[in-house]
Amino acid sequence: GAVVSQHPSWVICKSGTSVKIECRSLDFQATTMFWYRQFPKQSLMLMATSNEGSKATYEQGVEKDKFLINHASLTLSTLTVTSAHPEDSSFYICSASGLGSGTGELFFGEGSRLTVL
Amino acid sequence: DQQVKQNSPSLSVQEGRISILNCDYTNSMFDYFLWYKKYPAEGPTFLISISSIKDKNEDGRFTVFLNKSAKHLSLHIVPSQPGDSAVYFCAARAPKGAGGTSYGKLTFGQGTILTVHP
């Protein structure tokens, strides 16, 4: 199946700093990428949908100024957590769909564990 | 509003037996349903899917059943193996412009932890 890669897989940062997470589709053109967040023992919660070359669409309750999403190319989307605080600590997962990625299933990255001290 | 629900947080099954994971949904606009398997600290991996125009889809040991009238789907794993132990999420997709913001947007259930004992 299609491959989606995330980097870094884990990151620890100090409160107040910004962290960037990359999501790449390795063997297909991702016209749409999705960013999810998962708290321990909870479901994946969609944060935002990004379409290549346009602004991201954020889900209700997600601060767009805090979680900056850029989808500048068909193979790369980035999520930047700005001025991170301990409550932002979570597991962030991206997924992608697009040309050649299949009829319905999304392909997910490996996830990025963010810990804010 | 939880549109996709997995009411069993956990399931324990003996190796070789059948595992049945259940999922209920409320949005009648969902047209595609998927099951994902997830290990801790990893992203979900796709298992099997079913279109709303079908009532069954089979792939090896995995079979998904869809009952549209009951808004219910289930994943059957038979025979279950210890390597199947993981968290299983069901997910549903609404067509673009029909309650979904874009093609591919999925709504996930809470997940069910499956443990298969040797």
Side-chain angles (χ1 to χ4, degrees), chain A residues 32-37 45-51 55-60 62-64 67-71 77-79 92-95 106, chain B residues 101-102 105-106:
Chain A
T32 305
M33 285 188 171
F34 303 86
W35 286 95
Y36 292 84
R37 181 176 182 178
M45 300 302 296
L46 179 66
M47 298 173 65
T49 303
S50 74
N51 295 295
K55 290 184 179 180
T57 303
Y58 289 82
E59 296 299 301
Q60 192 172 10
V62 178
E63 299 176 60
K64 61 181 181 181
F67 298 100
L68 301 179
I69 292 173
N70 183 277
H71 191 166
S77 175
T78 59
L79 167 67
Y92 293 88
I93 306 171
C94 73
S95 67
L106 290 178
Chain B
T101 58
S102 61
K105 174 183 175 181
L106 297 179

Side-chain angles (χ1 to χ4, degrees), chain B residues 42-76:
Chain B
E42 293 184 13
T45 54
F46 170 75
L47 269 180
I48 192 169
S49 62
I50 188 167
S51 166
S52 60
I53 63 174
K54 296 185 177 181
D55 55 17
K56 178 182 175 181
N57 187 28
E58 189 173 353
D59 183 3
R61 297 186 298 116
F62 302 93
T63 303
V64 56
F65 296 92
L66 175 64
N67 182 334
K68 282 190 68 177
S69 61
K71 293 191 177 67
H72 176 85
L73 65 153
S74 60
L75 173 68
H76 292 212

Side-chain angles (χ1 to χ4, degrees), chain A residues 38 43 59 103 105-106 109-110, chain B residues 34 36 38 43 103-105 109:
Chain A
Q38 186 186 27
S43 183
E59 296 299 301
T103 56
E105 69 271 23
L106 290 178
E110 310 94 325
Chain B
L34 309 95
Y36 285 85
K38 186 181 181 301
Y103 182 89
K105 174 183 175 181

